[in-house]
Amino acid sequence: MKPALILSMSVLLAACQQQQPSPKAEPQAPQAAEAEPAAAKPGFDRSHAGRPAPALALETNPDGATETIADILRANPGRKLLVNLWATWCAPCLKELPTLDTLAADTKGKLLVVPISQDMEGWRAVSKAFTADRYPNLETRVESGMQFGFELKAKGLPLTILYDEKGQEVWRYAGDRDWASPESRAMLGL
C-alpha cells in the first residue's frame, strides 16, 4: 500500500472517531440577508465556495458502471446536489445516513442526495451495509481510491457538500448531522 494512502486513511479514521460538537450548541440558520454568514458558524464552511466538484468516476454499481458529478447534474437539470462522503467503518457516517434518506424522500424533485462511499474494499464492503431496505431513497456511489476526499482536502468523515445546479460548491459540513432537521433544511434553502 502506498504511504500517502496509508496516511490519508489514518487521518480520515482519526477524524471520523473525533467527537463532534452537540447539535444543540449550533446556532440557527440565518433568517435574513443581513444575518451573520453561514461560513462563520461552526460546522458549515463556505471557504471553498465556487470550486467545481471533482471530475472523478464514481461507481454506480458492483458491475463497474461509472458516472461523475457532472453526469448526475446533466441528468437532473436545475437541481442542487448534496454529496455525502461516508464509509462503512465510520460510526458517525452510519448514524447520519438514515437522516439523509429521510431528506431524500422529502425533497424528491428539488434536491439530489448522493452518498459516496470512500471504502477501500469498494462494493464488497458497501453492499453489506448499504441496502435498498435500509435506505430506500438513496443510491450510493463508490470511490474506493479515496481520491474524491483527497481532492476536496477532506480532514475526516463524514463530509457533506452542497453543490449548486452548475456543480459549484456552495458550502460543506464536517461531521455528522441530522439532515432532516429544520435547521439543516434551512441551510439547504428548503
Side-chain angles (χ1 to χ4, degrees):
M1 199 178 300
K2 296 179 183 177
L5 187 56
I6 292 171
L7 179 61
S8 294
M9 287 177 41
S10 299
V11 169
L12 288 175
L13 181 57
C16 182
Q17 294 174 341
Q18 290 177 352
Q19 290 285 52
Q20 297 297 320
S22 168
K24 294 177 184 172
E26 199 168 324
Q28 296 288 328
Q31 298 297 317
E34 292 144 27
E36 180 183 354
K41 297 180 186 278
F44 287 95
D45 176 5
R46 292 184 186 261
S47 66
H48 304 275
R51 291 188 185 161
L56 294 170
L58 308 170
E59 291 182 24
T60 60
N61 63 50
D63 297 331
T66 64
E67 67 183 355
T68 65
I69 295 296
D71 295 332
I72 295 169
L73 289 170
R74 262 193 303 278
N76 298 278
R79 293 195 202 159
K80 291 180 182 176
L81 174 67
L82 189 68
V83 168
N84 176 262
L85 298 184
W86 72 284
T88 59
W89 44 262
C90 172
C93 299
L94 298 176
K95 176 183 165 195
E96 79 175 350
L97 276 172
T99 71
L100 287 164
D101 188 67
T102 299
L103 178 66
D106 293 347
T107 60
K108 280 191 178 170
K110 298 177 191 170
L111 176 72
L112 298 165
V113 180
V114 176
I116 301 174
S117 166
Q118 298 288 271
D119 282 277
M120 289 181 59
E121 293 182 24
W123 286 101
R124 190 170 71 188
V126 172
S127 294
K128 296 172 192 170
F130 198 99
T131 64
D133 291 345
R134 273 193 192 141
Y135 310 109
N137 302 293
L138 296 174
E139 292 180 20
T140 194
R141 279 43 168 205
V142 171
E143 196 278 302
S144 57
M146 295 173 41
Q147 289 302 303
F148 205 93
F150 181 75
E151 286 197 25
L152 291 172
K153 297 179 177 34
K155 294 184 175 133
L157 295 177
L159 177 67
T160 307
I161 306 103
L162 178 65
Y163 290 104
D164 67 15
E165 300 84 349
K166 296 177 184 175
Q168 306 293 308
E169 184 169 330
V170 177
W171 50 252
R172 60 179 62 188
Y173 185 87
D176 67 299
R177 183 174 181 82
D178 178 356
W179 291 103
S181 73
E183 295 82 14
S184 294
R185 289 172 187 262
M187 289 305 298
L188 292 163
L190 303 170

